């Protein structure tokens, strides 16, 4: 295939732009002028004239929970809900379609969108007397259950908070329906397992949705959250990903991360089959959690929350346990990714990494900090010291810009939040992701980091941290590929790499740069059109 008369951005510094591209056998043959490409034309070559349309490398989403994203697409949609009444009506509508006793599940709600009040069981009890309900917050670190679900889970005023979690209570110490981090497991353990068929359908549904957004590769950190079983990501690997691979149903490429406590099993898998299990499935490494999230007041900070004085957040794992598991994983050559949102949590990880390097020596480890959302003044520079990857989610900025000041104070929020430009200046690699099922739309993310203007805002939130277009694009393409060791085969439209790319409605680079579109026209994987 030859693409002609295009505006091709390659993300390759050797040849940043071209007007034509030749593809054969799913790989890029050449990008350049039309004259330099047409020599690859054969008897059966298909040629497409793009009339100037912008072409980009396929987007890489550096942090998703892919199967959960696919499941959420078929559940109660609560993202963007801006009032208590709409929240309740969405759940009420879902209850109508259920038989008595069936669970109602959903997610994506953000209490900051309706003034800050958290939903509680009392919101749900009248509309769901015969159906247990479980609805997760947009960040995945908090959920609300109705009273029936709380009863089924055996939670009452005498139930102790689990380590790394909180049962939110009334003034009479009765559970009010909200569960934070590890406490969510109390309800999740009593929800019937999603069937294998449903999870397989969720992978296919999620893959189609990703392709619609221009995403051709994802880093899947799995169905693994604080307090949850480590078994599910492994079951998904064997029962879903390997099934899809064997049946020829994989549509996007995945880089899989498994729970840190199972690091030896990951080593065994790599020893037996290698890291590249196929052109579709790559074994990435291991992941753990150090703290929670800002919205659920469980991100770990040096200073107290402004709206919850005396609370500094939650530390979800003992540092000696985390250090020992990281040392062993790192010594075995695994890539390690650890969730940290609060400024203290990020510093604790950077300190730990110093110790890992001191004990295990220098190597190209590409240690990942997932989120790196709030940083102490010196932290951004420290990321570059050991080439630490900052795996960040730009669109979380849209959710937090209004609420961060209320949670931790305006001055703290503005000096510490989403410091993308400072991180780049400190020498780190940025890798953009969505944390889907929160939301997935790379074009929106790129627009966000360039403007940092949430809906309704006239001025940027922390304007000094806005990124230019080129850096923003690279963080969703070649830098994201580097962040998971896939840069030799992905991330840029370079000779020999997979021909994964998107076609945009913009018909010139100026048009694209001036007005980032909200959608893609087409997505190609292995040089074949995968969407629409």
């Amino acid at each position: 295939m030859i693409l002609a008369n295009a505006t091709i951005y390659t993300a390759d510094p050797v040849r940043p732009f071209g007007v034509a591209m030749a593809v054969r056998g799913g790989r890029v043959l050449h990008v350049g002028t039309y004259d330099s490409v047409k020599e690859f034309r054969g008897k059966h070559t298909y040629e497409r004239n793009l009339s100037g349309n912008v072409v980009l490398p396929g987007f890489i989403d550096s942090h998703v929970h892919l199967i959960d994203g696919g499941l959420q697409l078929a559940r109660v949609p609560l993202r963007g809900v801006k009032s208590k009444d709409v929240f309740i009506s969405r759940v009420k509508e879902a209850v109508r379609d259920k038989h008595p006793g069936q669970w109602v599940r959903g997610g994506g709600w953000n209490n900051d969108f309706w003034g800050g009040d958290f939903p509680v069981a009392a919101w749900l009890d009248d509309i769901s007397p015969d159906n247990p309900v479980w609805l997760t917050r947009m960040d995945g670190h908090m959920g609300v259950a109705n009273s029936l679900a709380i009863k089924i889970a055996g939670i009452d005023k005498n139930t102790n908070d689990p380590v790394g979690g909180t049962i939110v209570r009334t003034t009479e110490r009765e559970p009010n329906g909200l569960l934070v981090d590890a406490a969510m497991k109390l309800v999740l353990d009593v929800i019937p397992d999603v069937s294998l068929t449903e999870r397989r359908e969720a992978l296919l549904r999620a893959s189609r949705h990703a392709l619609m957004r221009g995403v051709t590769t994802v880093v899947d950190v799995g169905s693994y959250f604080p307090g949850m079983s480590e078994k599910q990501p492994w079951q998904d690997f064997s029962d879903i990903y390997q099934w899809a691979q064997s049946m020829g149903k994989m549509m996007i490429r995945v880089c899989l991360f498994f729970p840190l406590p199972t690091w030896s099993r990951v080593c065994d898998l790599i020893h037996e089959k290698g890291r590249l299990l196929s052109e579709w499935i790559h074994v990435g490494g291991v992941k753990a959690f150090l703290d929670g999230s800002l919205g659920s007041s469980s991100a770990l900070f040096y200073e107290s929350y402004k709206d919850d004085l005396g609370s500094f957040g939650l530390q979800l794992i003992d540092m000696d346990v985390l250090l020992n598991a990281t040392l062993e994983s790192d010594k075995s050559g695994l890539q390690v990714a650890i969730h940290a949102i609060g400024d203290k949590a990020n510093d604790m990880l950077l300190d730990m990494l110093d110790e890992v390097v001191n004990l295990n020596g220098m190597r190209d480890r590409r240690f990942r900090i997932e989120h790196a959302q709030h940083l102490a003044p010196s932290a951004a520079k420290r990321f570059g010291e050991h080439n630490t990857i900052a795996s960040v989610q730009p669109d979380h900025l849209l959710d937090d810009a209004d609420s961060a000041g209320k949670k931790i104070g305006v001055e703290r929020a503005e000096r510490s939040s989403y410091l993308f430009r400072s991180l780049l200046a400190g020498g780190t690699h940025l890798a953009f992701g969505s944390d889907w099922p929160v939301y997935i739309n790379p074009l929106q993310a790129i627009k966000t980091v360039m403007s940092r203007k949430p809906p309704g805002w006239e001025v940027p939130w922390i304007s000094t941290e806005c990124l230019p277009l080129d850096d923003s694009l690279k963080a969703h393409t070649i830098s994201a590929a580097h962040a998971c060791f896939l840069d030799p085969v992905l991330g840029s439209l370079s000779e020999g790499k997979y021909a994964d790319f998107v076609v945009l409605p913009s018909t010139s680079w100026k048009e694209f740069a001036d007005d980032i579109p909200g959608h893609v026209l087409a997505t190609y994987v292995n040089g074949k059109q995968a969407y629409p």
Side-chain angles (χ1 to χ4, degrees):
M1 178 177 72
I2 287 178
L3 294 184
N5 193 17
T7 306
I8 302 171
Y9 171 85
T10 66
D12 184 340
V14 175
R15 185 181 286 108
F17 289 94
V19 296
M21 178 167 67
V23 174
R24 180 184 297 155
R27 303 269 184 162
V28 176
L29 279 178
H30 184 71
V31 177
T33 64
Y34 180 71
D35 285 342
S36 68
V37 163
K38 69 180 182 181
E39 65 184 70
F40 295 98
R41 186 169 51 198
K43 186 177 180 181
H44 303 291
T45 299
Y46 167 71
E47 186 170 316
R48 182 177 177 187
N49 186 327
L50 285 183
S51 303
N53 284 95
V54 172
V55 173
L56 306 176
F59 294 122
I60 300 168
D61 191 312
S62 297
H63 187 115
V64 303
H65 307 271
L66 189 62
I67 294 168
D68 291 318
L71 290 170
Q72 181 56 44
L73 289 172
R75 292 175 176 168
V76 185
L78 297 173
R79 179 173 174 82
V81 167
K82 290 182 170 57
S83 73
K84 172 182 174 180
D85 289 343
V86 174
F87 180 97
I88 292 171
S89 69
R90 293 262 180 105
V91 179
K92 186 176 182 179
E93 187 178 333
V95 171
R96 287 198 201 103
D97 297 330
K98 300 290 185 181
H99 299 297
Q102 277 188 300
W103 281 80
V104 176
R105 299 186 66 178
W109 56 267
N110 185 349
N111 50 296
D112 296 316
F113 284 1
W114 59 72
D117 290 341
F118 285 110
V120 292
W123 289 21
L124 305 168
D125 289 343
D126 288 345
I127 61 171
S128 57
D130 302 315
N131 296 89
V133 177
W134 174 247
L135 309 166
T136 53
R137 193 177 186 275
M138 48 78 68
D139 53 24
H141 288 268
M142 173 186 278
V144 63
N146 66 351
S147 293
L148 180 55
I150 292 291
K151 182 179 179 181
I152 292 171
I155 304 170
D156 60 28
K157 64 171 20 176
N158 298 313
T159 306
N160 293 325
D161 287 350
V163 175
T166 303
I167 301 167
V168 184
R169 304 171 192 273
T170 66
T171 53
E172 291 78 32
R173 285 198 49 78
E174 294 289 348
N176 74 356
L178 281 169
L179 303 173
V180 182
D181 284 312
M184 297 189 296
K185 187 173 187 292
L186 299 172
V187 165
L188 292 170
D189 278 352
V190 299
I191 299 176
D193 290 339
V194 177
S195 72
L196 180 58
T197 298
E198 287 178 286
R199 294 189 77 81
R200 286 176 173 175
E201 289 174 351
L203 171 64
L204 305 182
R205 187 185 303 121
S207 299
R208 287 191 290 268
H209 188 76
L211 289 167
M212 181 180 73
R213 299 296 194 187
V215 174
T216 55
T217 299
V218 299
V219 175
D220 185 6
V221 293
S223 299
Y224 176 58
F225 299 94
M228 289 182 64
S229 168
E230 298 147 7
K231 295 178 181 177
Q232 191 64 63
W234 285 100
Q235 290 175 346
D236 288 344
F237 169 65
S238 60
D239 296 342
I240 299 176
Y241 282 118
Q242 289 191 310
W243 163 81
Q245 168 68 33
S246 67
M247 299 296 289
K249 292 182 178 290
M250 290 296 295
M251 298 180 233
I252 61 175
R253 306 186 202 281
V254 296
C255 178
L256 303 177
F257 276 71
F258 295 90
L260 177 63
T262 66
W263 66 267
S264 62
R265 189 172 175 185
V266 181
C267 289
D268 291 342
L269 174 63
I270 292 172
H271 180 73
E272 180 187 349
K273 297 188 176 181
R275 293 180 185 272
L276 282 169
L277 305 185
S278 71
E279 64 177 316
W280 301 103
I281 303 174
H282 174 73
V283 180
V286 289
K287 180 180 182 250
F289 292 84
L290 179 51
D291 69 344
S293 72
L294 178 71
S296 61
S297 300
S298 55
L300 188 62
F301 287 96
Y302 285 112
E303 299 176 58
S304 170
Y305 280 88
K306 183 181 177 184
D307 64 347
D308 188 7
L309 294 177
S311 172
F312 297 84
L314 293 174
Q315 182 178 328
L316 303 181
I317 188 171
D318 178 82
M319 284 307 294
D320 287 337
V321 172
L322 183 60
L323 173 62
N324 289 332
T326 301
L327 282 169
E328 293 299 325
S329 302
D330 180 74
K331 198 179 297 180
S332 301
L334 295 179
Q335 187 178 19
V336 178
I338 302 178
H339 166 120
I341 286 184
D343 55 7
K344 184 175 181 179
N346 277 279
D347 275 359
M348 290 167 72
L349 284 188
L350 292 167
D351 290 343
M352 186 189 76
L353 179 57
D354 287 342
E355 195 165 353
V356 169
V357 172
N358 183 51
L359 293 170
N360 284 357
M362 295 291 293
R363 73 175 184 87
D364 183 14
R365 51 177 47 86
R366 303 186 199 182
F367 184 85
R368 295 169 60 113
I369 295 184
E370 303 296 317
H371 309 302
Q373 192 167 300
H374 302 279
L375 302 179
S378 61
K381 290 182 180 177
R382 293 185 66 195
F383 269 75
E385 290 175 6
H386 300 303
N387 298 312
T388 304
I389 305 295
S391 171
V392 298
Q393 295 70 44
D395 276 335
H396 285 197
L397 180 159
L398 301 178
D399 296 313
D400 287 342
D402 282 312
S403 61
K406 300 171 188 173
K407 300 292 290 185
I408 61 174
V410 173
E411 191 274 331
R412 276 172 65 194
E414 291 190 351
R415 75 166 186 254
S416 72
S417 305
Y418 299 91
L419 304 183
F420 302 146
R421 195 172 192 124
S422 295
L423 283 162
L424 276 182
T428 191
H429 280 268
L430 285 182
F432 284 171
S434 65
D435 206 7
W436 192 35
V438 174
Y439 188 60
I440 183 170
N441 190 340
L443 287 169
Q444 175 61 57
I446 290 165
K447 194 171 186 175
T448 295
V449 296
M450 291 175 65
S451 73
R452 294 181 71 105
K453 290 181 185 177
W457 284 47
E458 295 296 323
V459 296
W461 185 42
I462 321 175
S463 61
T464 53
E465 294 296 328
C466 292
L467 287 184
L469 177 58
D470 189 59
D471 288 332
S472 305
L473 287 171
K474 284 177 177 171
H476 248 315
T477 54
I478 189 60
S479 185
H482 170 88
C484 56
F485 288 94
L486 286 175
D487 44 320
V489 293
L490 290 175
S492 63
L493 296 175
S494 307
E495 186 175 321
K497 291 192 178 185
Y498 290 122
D500 299 348
F501 57 91
V502 296
V503 181
L504 303 183
S506 312
T507 54
S508 71
W509 191 252
K510 184 178 187 306
E511 179 187 340
F512 171 62
D514 290 346
D515 185 15
I516 306 295
H519 68 284
V520 304
L521 287 182
T523 304
Y524 286 73
V525 179
N526 282 336
K528 297 178 181 178
Q529 189 167 329
Y531 168 82

